[in-house]
Amino acid sequence: MLLKRKNIIFICAFFTQLNLFSQTDEVKYLKQNGLSKINFISKKDTVCFLTTNIEKKIAKPTILFLQGSLPKPVIFHDSTGASVTAFPFEIEPYLKKFNFIIIPRYGIPLTGSYEKDINGFRNKDGEVPSNYIKNDNLEYRTFQAKTVIDFLYKQKWVQKDSIFVIGHSEGYRVAAKLSENNKKIAKLVCMSANPFNRIAEYVLKSRIETLFTPSDSLLQKEIEKDIDSFKNIGTIKKYKNDPEKYNSLSYNSVLSYESLLKFPNPILVTYGTEDLGALNNDLLPFLLREKNLTMFVYPDLDHNYVKKQFDKDGNELEGNYCWDTVFNDVQNWLVKNSVKK
């Protein structure tokens, strides 16, 4: 089955050496997608990222793309040998303009089979790797991204005044946290997530559901329960030995818009109006009234910028994939008024 990029959306992952794929396979698929792998040792860990950069002597604006959740490989291949990357938009038209960077997820192989791993990688025992679970939290993902930004800032092939960060879905939350007082990031793009936290998403969705429910008392109790769960989070360090709970609380104990308040440079927020969990972004102009904020809102598009299509009888057809249109708007905003110092 040949891969279609529109089927590869909302992908995240990390490099680790597992026996599923040989080093030769990894090199093959990296080369096939025009990527290079860079490993470097930080004070806390060994960090890996992939880059499209092949012209080391040319400094270019650089985009770090932060994917959403789930334990998926960065590169998917199918039985024909074709492969695609975790970027949900086409990067080829922009390679002369930007370097593109993506950080694989810890504990997940760099490459994976589209047929087997599209819904998330499992090891030979059918389990999600424990190393992934241990590090699947806001703290570690932010650490990875900050380490990469600090590394990029020192490279001659990176235009230092044009380092851009784009975060989609869970990556929105990572990008927001990363941006706090971070002057190395020239512009920040947050896409398709709630500007508060995941619990706020649940509350919003339940509240919308109450509008279409004759008796909404049960839903109101769910809303109150969710709000109480947020108010009672407290210190999350005590859950360090319970990775799954710690991971969830790491995202719910903070509010992303408060991080955005601490970012000194321009912010772009994008979302589709069919993405119910992201609709609270409508409040950002009120919450960030003093910030340099731009909003791109896409009517009829969902979480992954897909527009539903129907035939004349009302039967749903394959959706219209609009990620490339959205990214073109984003990159135009990134380069607007960006002048090399």
Side-chain angles (χ1 to χ4, degrees):
M1 175 179 63
L2 290 173
L3 293 180
K4 295 183 179 179
R5 178 169 294 275
K6 61 186 175 183
N7 290 330
I8 310 297
I9 54 183
F10 190 42
I11 296 176
C12 56
F14 186 77
F15 143 83
T16 191
Q17 248 349 297
L18 297 178
N19 293 326
L20 270 173
F21 305 103
S22 70
Q23 183 70 18
T24 302
D25 289 332
E26 183 179 288
V27 171
K28 170 187 172 181
Y29 292 119
L30 283 169
K31 184 176 181 180
Q32 191 175 88
N33 288 279
L35 296 170
S36 299
K37 181 175 71 173
I38 295 180
N39 292 318
F40 60 96
I41 300 175
S42 74
K43 293 180 180 179
K44 295 183 179 180
D45 206 347
T46 298
V47 176
C48 164
F49 68 88
L50 305 185
T51 174
T52 58
N53 175 63
I54 56 174
E55 299 174 295
K56 298 293 185 183
K57 296 181 180 180
I58 300 176
K60 291 192 293 188
T62 299
I63 294 173
L64 169 60
F65 180 71
L66 300 170
Q67 324 90 293
S69 57
L70 301 181
K72 296 183 179 181
V74 168
I75 299 174
F76 280 88
H77 60 81
D78 66 9
S79 57
T80 72
S83 64
V84 295
T85 68
F87 293 105
F89 46 85
E90 295 289 347
I91 63 175
E92 287 79 6
Y94 308 102
L95 291 178
K96 290 184 178 180
K97 185 184 293 187
F98 301 106
N99 300 310
F100 288 90
I101 307 293
I102 194 164
I103 305 172
R105 297 291 292 274
Y106 198 95
I108 305 300
L110 190 64
T111 64
S113 164
Y114 178 78
E115 291 86 354
K116 291 171 55 180
D117 303 318
I118 188 60
N119 293 317
F121 173 81
R122 298 291 187 274
N123 60 24
K124 62 182 180 180
D125 297 319
E127 299 174 345
V128 176
S130 59
N131 281 345
Y132 168 82
I133 295 174
K134 182 180 178 181
N135 294 284
D136 183 28
N137 57 68
L138 180 61
E139 179 184 7
Y140 187 77
R141 289 202 68 188
T142 303
F143 157 74
Q144 279 185 308
K146 184 179 184 305
T147 303
V148 170
I149 290 291
D150 291 345
F151 178 87
L152 292 173
Y153 196 76
K154 300 175 183 178
Q155 306 310 305
K156 294 181 179 180
W157 48 273
V158 174
Q159 193 170 306
K160 289 180 174 53
D161 66 337
S162 298
I163 296 176
F164 308 128
V165 173
I166 300 176
H168 176 253
S169 194
E170 183 178 277
Y172 176 128
R173 308 184 198 287
V174 180
K177 190 65 178 175
L178 172 68
S179 74
E180 291 183 4
N181 304 310
N182 195 329
K183 296 181 179 179
K184 293 177 181 177
I185 302 172
K187 291 184 176 182
L188 181 73
V189 183
C190 293
M191 312 178 78
S192 302
N194 192 287
F196 300 105
N197 58 18
R198 287 172 172 168
I199 293 175
E201 276 190 36
Y202 307 150
V203 170
L204 176 61
K205 289 178 179 178
S206 293
R207 179 60 69 205
I208 291 173
E209 191 176 346
T210 66
L211 300 176
F212 304 95
T213 304
S215 177
D216 57 14
S217 58
L218 291 178
L219 285 168
Q220 179 59 31
K221 289 180 180 179
E222 284 297 315
I223 290 172
E224 292 170 359
K225 182 179 178 181
D226 286 334
I227 292 174
D228 284 341
S229 71
F230 169 68
K231 292 168 65 176
N232 294 321
I233 287 176
T235 302
I236 68 172
K237 290 183 179 179
K238 60 185 177 181
Y239 299 106
K240 273 287 190 177
N241 294 326
D242 184 352
E244 292 187 2
K245 189 160 190 175
Y246 179 82
N247 294 345
S248 174
L249 293 177
S250 73
Y251 289 99
N252 281 321
S253 63
V254 298
L255 302 175
S256 292
Y257 88 90
E258 292 183 339
S259 295
L260 298 179
L261 282 169
K262 301 175 185 177
F263 181 59
N265 295 328
I267 301 167
L268 170 64
V269 174
T270 81
Y271 53 100
T273 59
E274 291 297 310
D275 184 6
L276 298 184
L279 297 187
N280 275 337
N281 284 297
D282 289 333
L283 300 176
L284 284 178
F286 302 93
L287 298 170
L288 306 179
R289 63 186 301 177
E290 302 297 329
K291 306 300 291 184
N292 186 345
L293 173 68
T294 302
M295 308 280 285
F296 289 170
V297 184
Y298 295 90
D300 305 319
L301 301 190
D302 67 10
H303 184 72
N304 289 300
Y305 304 113
V306 175
K307 183 177 182 179
K308 290 182 178 180
Q309 302 288 321
F310 301 90
D311 65 19
K312 61 181 181 180
D313 298 319
N315 299 310
E316 188 170 351
L317 304 172
E318 186 175 19
N320 183 20
Y321 188 73
C322 299
W323 246 112
D324 291 314
T325 299
V326 173
F327 178 71
N328 188 60
D329 294 342
V330 169
Q331 67 87 30
N332 282 333
W333 178 84
L334 290 175
V335 298
K336 185 178 180 180
N337 299 325
S338 292
V339 180
K340 187 174 181 179
K341 297 177 183 178

